[in-house]
């Protein structure tokens, strides 16, 4: 049996868990980041709607509101440092009936209460001037000029890579099966037979957060997997919409939106369906019918475009109106639950908050002065230069000129780099999230065999422990 000792064990390597591990690893504390799946960001985080939110529509005074507002600034700065692609497209909430129109002043006031002052109420003519392909019948709208689209895959990978570079140990494919709480530490036993002994445990397990919470004796919330299905349209549809088209939100959620993506596509969705099965990420006929019905009203011209892909993700909805971040100093246990889809934007702010909570509970450690520079991530954004477009890069390394995936213009050099990175992909899906290979309109029909051959020839079975180069034997 393998054993690992640390000061802080963070369970869950999605965006929030990776952000926490990165932040805590910026001190002298020993950190282990534990993920039950084979790769970081392979759960809820990979199927986010990929919008960098201003937090304009959060409930004022909540922890979520504070974290999203702060996280927007932190992630915007971090994206500039690391090369995470961001496009500041702006957004418009569209009112389709009198009730929604009457709700716009209240939404503007809510935005201002959240510290966001740039929303403006506009009439129907202004809406159609910005969105000429919108369906008929819009009565007005609310502009949110600072909403942006972002690559959620790169955010997650950058944070996890940064954590490892700072000295954190990453254990993938290590699902926690049981715990033993001692007087001064807790031992986590994984299904792989590894025992991780930690002074503090942080539960950022997303869909499994309530089950893990129960291992510490709590029954304070229940996670309900909420399936969101989406339709992704071909890049030729991008000319129809260059802004995020939002519905007027309801108590259930933000509703169905139309959004350009950082990869050059257009996305319609998501649905919102509460399930019991926490693995049910398959799409459904009913979901597609629902989305197509919504799409016919929102933007009929979009439905004439070709569909590149469909997918579904599960959000960790809980029976609680706010983020649930609570510490148990006796058991040295911190719950980070109910983060929902806003965790993409709020993740780095949540990490700051967790650091302060741990410090107030007695686990304070000064920030190191010898931190490595943030990792520079490969660009997956269509609006920014890609390797196949850079003559100097190709001249220095011809592998960047050999296109393997023609739909997405992914080169052999990019696949090689991903396989040799700090956190290499363990599967072809992991490679897809790092390069866009097989993510285009042919969905790997033409390139799948060659990409798989390259992946298998250049990758290796990742070790059970992935840590910074300095800490490896």
């Amino acid at each position: 049996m393998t054993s690992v000792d640390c000061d802080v064990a963070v369970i869950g390597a999605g965006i929030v868990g990776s952000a926490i591990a990165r932040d805590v690893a910026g001190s002298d504390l020993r950190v282990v980041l534990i993920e039950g799946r084979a790769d970081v960001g392979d759960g809820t985080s990979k199927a986010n709607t990929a919008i960098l939110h201003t937090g304009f529509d959060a409930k004022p005074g909540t922890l979520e509101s504070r974290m999203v507002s702060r996280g927007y600034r932190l992630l915007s700065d971090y994206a500039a440092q690391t090369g995470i692609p961001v496009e500041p497209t702006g957004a418009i909430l569209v009112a389709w009936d009198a009730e929604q129109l009457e709700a716009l002043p209240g939404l503007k006031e809510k935005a201002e209460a959240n510290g966001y002052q740039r929303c403006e109420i506009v009439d129907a003519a202004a809406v159609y001037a910005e969105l000429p392909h919108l369906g008929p019948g819009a009565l007005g709208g609310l502009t949110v000029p600072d909403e942006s689209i972002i690559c959620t895959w790169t955010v997650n990978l950058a944070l996890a890579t940064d954590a490892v570079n700072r000295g954190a140990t990453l254990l993938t494919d290590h699902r926690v099966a049981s715990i033993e709480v001692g007087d001064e530490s807790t031992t986590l036993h994984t299904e792989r037979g590894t025992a991780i002994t930690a002074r503090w445990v942080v539960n950022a397990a997303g869909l499994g957060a309530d089950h893990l919470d129960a291992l510490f004796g709590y029954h304070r919330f229940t996670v309900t997997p909420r399936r969101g299905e989406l339709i992704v349209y071909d890049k030729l549809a991008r000319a129809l919409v260059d802004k995020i088209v939002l519905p007027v939100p309801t108590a259930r959620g933000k509703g169905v939106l139309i959004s350009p993506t950082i990869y050059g596509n257009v996305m319609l969705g998501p649905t919102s369906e509460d399930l019991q099965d926490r693995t049910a990420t398959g799409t459904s006929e009913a979901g597609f019918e629902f989305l197509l019905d919504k799409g016919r009203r929102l933007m009929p011209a979009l439905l004439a475009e070709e569909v590149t892909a469909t997918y579904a993700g599960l959000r960790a909805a809980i029976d609680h109106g706010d983020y649930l971040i609570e510490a148990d100093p006796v058991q040295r246990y911190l719950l980070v639950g109910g983060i929902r889809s806003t965790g993409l934007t709020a993740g780095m702010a949540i990490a700051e908050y967790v650091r302060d909570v741990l410090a107030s509970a007695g686990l304070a450690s000064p920030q190191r002065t010898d931190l490595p520079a943030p990792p520079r991530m490969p660009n997956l954004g269509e609006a920014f230069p890609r390797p196949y477009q850079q003559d100097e890069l190709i001249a220095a390394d011809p592998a960047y000129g050999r296109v393997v995936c023609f739909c997405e213009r992914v080169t052999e050099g990019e696949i090689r780099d991903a396989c040799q990175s700090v956190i290499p992909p363990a599967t072809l899906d992991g490679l897809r999230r790092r390069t866009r290979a097989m993510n285009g309109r042919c969905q790997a029909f033409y390139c799948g065999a060659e990409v798989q051959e390259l992946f298998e020839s250049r990758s290796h079975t990742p070790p059970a422990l992935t840590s910074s180069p300095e800490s490896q034997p």
Side-chain angles (χ1 to χ4, degrees), residues 321-386:
D322 198 2
Y323 290 175
L324 195 56
I325 303 178
E326 297 181 358
D328 176 351
V330 175
Q331 295 190 89
R332 299 165 306 282
Y333 164 64
L334 178 63
L335 167 67
V336 183
I339 305 302
R340 296 182 289 275
S341 61
T342 52
L344 166 59
T345 301
M348 296 186 75
I350 292 170
E352 278 188 343
Y353 185 80
V354 164
R355 185 212 310 161
D356 292 342
V357 171
L358 291 174
S360 65
L363 195 65
S365 181
Q367 291 292 290
R368 288 161 44 199
T369 58
D370 62 341
L371 291 177
R376 192 70 188 174
M377 305 304 294
N379 167 50
L380 301 188
E382 193 70 8
F384 309 95
R386 302 272 305 288

Side-chain angles (χ1 to χ4, degrees), residues 417-439:
D417 293 349
C419 292
Q420 296 175 356
S421 63
V422 174
I423 306 176
T427 64
L428 284 172
D429 276 342
L431 182 66
R432 183 197 301 259
R433 293 193 294 273
R434 286 163 173 80
T435 64
R436 282 175 47 180
M438 308 176 296
N439 209 48

Side-chain angles (χ1 to χ4, degrees), residues 300-312:
L302 181 62
L303 272 65
E305 299 292 332
E306 294 184 4
V307 173
T308 290
T310 60
Y311 70 95

Side-chain angles (χ1 to χ4, degrees), residues 35-102:
E35 171 56 46
R37 295 173 180 260
D39 197 4
V40 301
D42 194 31
T44 300
S45 293
K46 73 180 179 184
N48 195 285
T49 47
I51 296 175
L52 180 58
H53 288 297
T54 58
F56 77 97
D57 61 347
K59 184 177 179 180
T62 60
L63 180 60
E64 180 177 18
S65 171
R66 287 164 46 202
M67 295 297 99
V68 173
S69 179
R70 171 68 175 158
Y72 177 88
R73 297 191 294 273
L74 289 174
L75 183 52
S76 296
D77 290 344
Y78 190 67
Q81 296 173 43
T82 58
I84 296 168
V86 177
E87 285 187 56
T89 59
I92 299 181
L93 279 82
V94 179
W96 294 95
D97 57 40
E99 182 180 359
Q100 292 177 6
L101 191 65
E102 291 171 0

Side-chain angles (χ1 to χ4, degrees), residues 386-401 411 414 416-417:
R386 302 272 305 288
Y388 79 94
Q389 299 169 312
Q390 300 178 53
D391 292 340
E392 291 184 4
L393 185 64
I394 295 169
D397 186 344
Y400 291 116
T411 66
E414 292 169 274
R416 176 202 62 205
D417 293 349

Side-chain angles (χ1 to χ4, degrees), residues 439-463:
N439 209 48
R441 63 189 302 172
C442 87
Q443 291 293 288
F445 182 83
Y446 290 104
C447 67
E450 186 173 1
V451 169
Q452 182 171 357
E453 182 180 357
L454 283 170
F455 172 67
E456 291 176 349
S457 67
R458 294 188 176 276
S459 67
H460 57 87
T461 302

Side-chain angles (χ1 to χ4, degrees), residues 233-247:
Y233 287 90
D234 188 78
K235 292 177 177 59
L236 294 174
R238 182 64 182 266
L240 297 176
V241 55
D242 62 358
K243 284 182 171 54
I244 305 164
V245 183
L246 298 172

